[in-house]
Amino acid sequence: MGAKHLACGVATTILISAGGVAAPQGSAPLLELVADGVQIYACEAKEGGFDWSLKAPEANLFDNQGREVGTHFAGPTWKLDDGSEVVGEVVARADSADPRAIQWLLLRAKSHQGSGALSVVAYVRRTDTKGGTAPSTGCDTNHLSQQARMRYSATYQFFSAAK
């Protein structure tokens, strides 16, 4: 698959439904992967108190046959074993039906590397999340700068640009 130039200024309609976030109308699914890993939080001083702040995800990515095919890490970035990489920025959020699970997201690609499968991705959608929320306790002056690694899993779907 050759690299294609993706227009960044194209207006798209983003649908948000009660069950999560939908891909932009007219976009086509390219790839679906399951992530298994952690969301990393740090205890920080905020607005006269303390709170857990998301620092980065750290997860392995698996295809529908269960083979590990890449990683997901800070950026947020998805990188496949074929050398392709996409970095996204959040454009829509929806709460998971499970309050102990991180939000569902729609992200727009803001940069790419390599010429593999992720080189033509315009949008990434995170759904079916399990776990990963920040700890509800343990962030105070005695724990400042400490990290918490919270287990999570999610489905990541990669889409082409809307036509």
Side-chain angles (χ1 to χ4, degrees):
M1 210 183 301
K4 291 183 181 177
H5 174 60
L6 299 174
C8 295
V10 176
T12 59
T13 302
I14 298 171
L15 302 175
I16 300 177
S17 65
V21 291
Q25 288 182 329
S27 64
L30 300 170
L31 180 65
E32 181 173 290
L33 301 172
V34 173
D36 182 28
V38 295
Q39 296 281 319
I40 303 168
Y41 295 89
C43 179
E44 296 180 347
K46 286 189 179 176
E47 300 171 12
F50 299 90
D51 199 13
W52 292 104
S53 178
L54 179 65
K55 290 302 167 192
E58 186 178 281
N60 294 318
L61 299 171
F62 299 88
D63 67 14
N64 59 5
Q65 281 86 42
R67 292 181 302 234
E68 187 174 335
V69 296
T71 56
H72 175 45
F73 51 93
T77 305
W78 296 264
K79 183 174 185 172
L80 297 185
D81 294 344
D82 68 7
S84 64
E85 183 175 307
V86 62
V87 178
E89 60 186 348
V90 175
V91 294
R93 302 172 184 269
D95 287 339
S96 170
D98 179 353
R100 296 165 302 189
I102 53 178
Q103 290 183 318
W104 292 20
L105 302 175
L106 180 66
L107 303 98
R108 178 179 32 242
K110 67 178 183 178
S111 68
H112 297 86
Q113 285 191 11
S115 59
L118 298 181
S119 66
V120 295
V121 167
Y123 295 93
V124 180
R125 181 170 62 177
R126 179 174 78 189
T127 62
D128 302 326
T129 56
K130 292 175 183 61
T133 56
S136 56
T137 61
C139 184
D140 54 34
T141 189
N142 295 327
H143 298 94
L144 197 57
S145 300
Q146 285 189 354
Q147 289 191 347
R149 298 169 65 84
M150 306 302 288
R151 287 263 331 134
Y152 94 106
S153 65
T155 299
Y156 287 101
Q157 298 163 317
F158 300 86
F159 295 87
S160 69
K163 299 203 184 236

